[in-house]
Amino acid sequence: MTPSATQFPAADREQWQRLVAGVLAKSGKQGLDGAAAEAALSTRLDDGLTVLPLYTAGEALPEPGPPGFAPYVRGTRPQGAVLDGWDIRQYHADPDPRRTNEAVLADLENGVTSVWLEVGERGTAIDALPTVLDGVLLDLAAVVLDAGADFREAARRLFALYDERGLPAGSAGAGSNIGADPLGLLARTGSDAQTEELLRSAAELAVDTARDRPGVRTLMVDALAYHDAGATAAQELGSALATAVAYLRELTAAGLSVPAAAAQLEFRFAATADQFLTVAKLRAARLLWARVLQASGSPEAAGELRLHAVTSSVMMTERDPWVNMLRTTVACLAAGVGGAQSVTVLPFDAAVGLPDDFARRIARNTQSILLDESHLGRVVDPAGGSWYVEQLTRDVARAAWSWFQEIERAAGLREALASGLVAERIGAAWEKRGKDIARRREPILGVSEFPHLGEERLVRPAAPAPRGSGLPVVRRSEAFEELRARSDAQLAASGTRPRMALIGLGTEAVYSARSSFAANLFQAGGIETVVVPVPNGAGSDAGIDAGIDAEALVKALADSGARVACLCSSDAVYAEQAAAAAGVLREAGIGRVSLAGRPGEREEEYRSAGIDEFVYVGCDVLAALRAAYAEIGAS
């Protein structure tokens, strides 16, 4: 007879906590019991959020409701994406209209269902829209525009094209959007001179569009301006909510009802490689929008919410860009699971410049594979019911609502931007995240971890520059890539990169672990590493209690061409040889000496012997790299 689960004694949380405490005690964390043991396994996120190691059915959470019903946490349609998947939306910013047209047609013929076009000063000329959309079946493919301040002219030209093609009202591709976003433009440019006029113009256009062009939306609540500046998930979400509320006020003042005004808005959020946080953010967006519309007297209008998710540009790297394919795949999966109706996957070379045909093909095929081979859309809200995801959704929503309320207390988003409140808060969040990046607590594969100095660089035409000088545009790999560029410049000028000698004390078996660690660390900044084994004056295999052959070491250093060095070995060997080795290095003209590992109680001894810094897991890697460059530049 096969035993059933009911035959085993039930396990309670206290029993689990005692087992956790036992495991932690073996790893050196003594004296923890109960809640303290569980807390030791918790992970702290931005916005004051905490991820627990265990979630159970006992957590008190509000009922999220079924898919298609208020508060729409689980999606705005009962069938989810089961019937038709999500909208695969490709982004185009090439200023050449004919090249853009070729790319658009290639995309639409191979799985893309809508196009997102930069037009005006950052893309093709608005008057070139007929060329860009030549051959596009506008009754099938949605067109989303981004024209900055020129959205009115862009709308006029697009609508004229609809009329020239003989498209009756209401027959344009579902999901089309003019892309007006006056407050997003203010955030990006920092210029408030036109905001009042642009808000009025957008409201007037929305009234006309709602009347004459059913199915086409006018305004895009684009939260990318905040995400691209380094905002946390809650800051991005709260800023978007403040934008949407401001637009609701403008549109209802212009004569639209709340449901009609809400139907003129589309939300755009970033999807990152933190898949659970992205899923929670998109679910929280629906929850919060339902709350706003409920307070506005039209809770049913929340069912018309449209979410557009774009893979994060902040996470994209210029170096080793092939790894971006992994990042965007995870982000795309999270966007689909989170219930985005439209998804844009940025090409893997987006941080380098305008993408080529291959990069665009990979971007669209990422979505096609997730939809048609992994069948991701065939499950309605696959994250629903997960105690972790449901709790994280509520936590993100609560933090975002708090930020939204603070913006409202500051007289709305426009005033919060003008006063510097938004920039200050986002800047503080990015500074905090930057410290984690510098210490590789947030590792960047191919850049801060496992860099490839000999990679062949991609060359692409320059992408459009950011608009104005409002909120900054950041990428998490920038600081490391700046150092890599400095290394490339020296290589081009002198034929060699900056070099670091890794001084191996003892046998290779003893020093190789830390020399490999140090090589990975310094190469992240473009510093080439050369392992220099230290010959022993005596014959000890381990190198302990053996003298250092100073003459041989000095010669090896001269052959390496390095002006900075890092000692690599075990703590036991350091205790015997580090101080003597540092003295030899100083006498040989090495300007800066590092040691791989924590110094422990010997820090004062090592520093007095001439060791300048210690590199270890969790140290400030960027500071170590910049200090090395400062010495190399002074040599």
Side-chain angles (χ1 to χ4, degrees), residues 8-20 34 38 54 56:
F8 293 92
D12 56 29
R13 198 180 194 100
E14 288 72 23
Q15 181 184 8
W16 175 78
Q17 288 175 341
R18 287 195 297 271
L19 293 172
V20 168
E38 183 173 349
L54 180 68
T56 69

Side-chain angles (χ1 to χ4, degrees), residues 311-331:
T311 58
S312 167
S313 64
V314 176
M315 71 179 181
M316 301 293 273
T317 65
E318 179 184 347
R319 300 288 176 150
D320 205 355
W322 315 102
V323 184
N324 290 331
M325 296 185 201
L326 305 179
R327 299 182 180 103
T328 56
T329 298
V330 175

Side-chain angles (χ1 to χ4, degrees), residues 199-539:
L199 286 168
R200 182 190 61 78
S201 182
E204 293 174 354
L205 179 59
V207 172
D208 294 343
T209 303
R211 181 187 65 240
D212 302 332
R213 306 283 177 176
V216 177
R217 302 191 184 217
T218 304
L219 289 114
M220 182 66 72
V221 180
D222 191 351
L224 297 188
Y226 309 99
H227 175 81
D228 292 351
T232 66
Q235 288 173 337
E236 179 187 352
L237 188 50
S239 299
L241 204 62
T243 303
V245 168
Y247 290 162
L248 270 187
R249 291 174 177 141
E250 292 289 335
L251 268 56
T252 52
L256 290 179
S257 65
V258 171
Q264 285 295 302
L265 305 182
E266 179 176 351
F267 288 74
R268 180 180 290 150
F269 293 104
T272 73
D274 187 335
Q275 67 266 39
F276 288 110
L277 191 58
T278 295
V279 169
K281 180 172 67 177
L282 297 180
R283 299 171 100 246
R286 291 190 291 270
L287 174 64
L288 294 178
W289 188 232
R291 183 173 179 178
V292 166
L293 291 179
Q294 182 179 31
S296 303
S298 299
E300 74 286 350
E304 298 299 317
L305 172 66
R306 186 170 187 88
L307 292 180
H308 174 203
V310 183
T311 58
S312 167
S313 64
V314 176
M315 71 179 181
M316 301 293 273
T317 65
E318 179 184 347
R319 300 288 176 150
D320 205 355
W322 315 102
V323 184
N324 290 331
M325 296 185 201
L326 305 179
R327 299 182 180 103
T328 56
T329 298
V330 175
C332 181
L333 180 146
V337 171
Q341 290 100 324
S342 298
V343 179
T344 296
V345 171
L346 295 180
F348 70 86
D349 56 358
V352 182
L354 292 174
D356 64 3
D357 295 341
F358 175 71
R360 282 194 303 272
R361 178 164 67 88
I362 294 296
R364 64 178 181 255
N365 284 356
T366 298
Q367 302 203 51
S368 296
I369 290 171
L370 288 174
L371 279 170
D372 300 330
E373 296 188 21
S374 299
H375 304 301
L376 194 60
R378 295 193 183 182
V379 179
V380 180
D381 185 29
S386 161
W387 299 316
Y388 168 41
V389 172
E390 298 293 357
Q391 182 65 61
L392 187 59
T393 297
R394 297 288 171 167
D395 290 346
V396 171
R398 192 176 298 111
W401 187 260
S402 177
W403 173 233
F404 162 66
Q405 289 181 312
E406 185 171 354
I407 292 173
E408 287 294 284
R409 287 194 295 270
L413 184 62
R414 184 178 175 186
E415 290 301 321
L417 285 167
S419 68
L421 172 65
V422 174
E424 177 185 343
R425 291 300 176 80
I426 292 177
W430 179 247
E431 182 180 5
K432 178 176 178 293
R433 187 178 177 188
K435 292 178 181 178
D436 286 341
I437 293 170
R439 294 180 178 276
R440 298 197 296 187
R441 290 173 182 155
E442 182 178 336
I444 308 171
L445 188 62
V447 180
S448 69
E449 294 277 15
F450 306 109
H452 178 32
L453 292 189
E455 70 173 292
E456 184 176 345
R457 300 287 304 282
L458 295 182
V459 178
R460 297 287 187 269
R467 289 188 175 99
S469 56
L471 295 178
V473 177
V474 301
R475 283 188 305 108
R476 59 183 188 154
S477 59
E478 281 179 316
F480 286 96
E481 289 174 343
E482 287 173 2
L483 296 175
R484 292 282 294 276
R486 186 171 175 179
S487 172
D488 288 348
Q490 178 170 323
L491 177 64
S494 66
T496 60
R497 293 187 183 278
R499 285 185 178 174
M500 165 76 68
L502 304 181
I503 310 302
L505 301 177
T507 65
E508 184 175 359
V510 172
Y511 69 70
S512 60
R514 278 176 168 161
S515 66
S516 296
F517 166 80
N520 183 41
L521 185 149
F522 288 108
Q523 287 172 16
I527 298 176
E528 183 180 5
T529 56
V530 181
V531 176
V532 179
V534 177
N536 292 323

